[in-house]
Amino acid sequence: GSTPSSYADHIFEKVNPEMEKLGYECKCLGGGKIDHNSKDKKIRVFGLSTGYGKADHSVTVEILKKVYTDYEITWSDDKK
């Protein structure tokens, strides 16, 4: 089996061709990890992609807040 981090690094490569078919131009602005704790209703955005660098986690948090309205969502530049 593959490790979770190597899978995550390839999400962009998987999604990009499909998005281009729909007429979207995609650009990967960076990466990171999301720690989702459904029991405590907490989401933490952190880390970075070795290939793409760090995404702007504050933007990710704003998007997540629209979907997970009753969660406590935080972010940091920590790698772990």
Side-chain angles (χ1 to χ4, degrees), residues 1 6 18-19 24 29 39 46 49 62 64 69-70 72:
S6 68
E18 297 299 315
M19 295 296 281
Y24 293 104
L29 302 174
K39 187 169 63 76
F46 65 102
S49 157
E62 286 310 308
L64 287 169
T69 49
D70 54 345
E72 178 191 324

Side-chain angles (χ1 to χ4, degrees), residues 3 8 13 43 63:
T3 59
E13 280 86 353
I43 294 177
I63 295 167

Side-chain angles (χ1 to χ4, degrees), residues 24-43:
Y24 293 104
E25 187 181 326
C26 300
K27 189 170 156 192
C28 184
L29 302 174
K33 298 184 176 79
I34 295 177
D35 184 27
H36 181 176
N37 184 334
S38 53
K39 187 169 63 76
D40 295 338
K41 294 205 166 190
K42 287 184 179 179
I43 294 177

Side-chain angles (χ1 to χ4, degrees), residues 27-34 45-61 63 75-78:
K27 189 170 156 192
C28 184
L29 302 174
K33 298 184 176 79
I34 295 177
V45 183
F46 65 102
L48 66 159
S49 157
T50 45
Y52 294 109
K54 186 178 83 71
D56 186 341
H57 295 330
S58 62
V59 173
T60 310
V61 167
I63 295 167
W75 68 272
S76 78
D77 290 334
D78 298 342

Side-chain angles (χ1 to χ4, degrees), residues 7-22:
Y7 168 71
D9 288 339
H10 297 295
I11 287 174
F12 180 70
E13 280 86 353
K14 276 185 155 155
V15 172
N16 193 33
E18 297 299 315
M19 295 296 281
E20 284 182 344
K21 280 185 206 158
L22 298 172

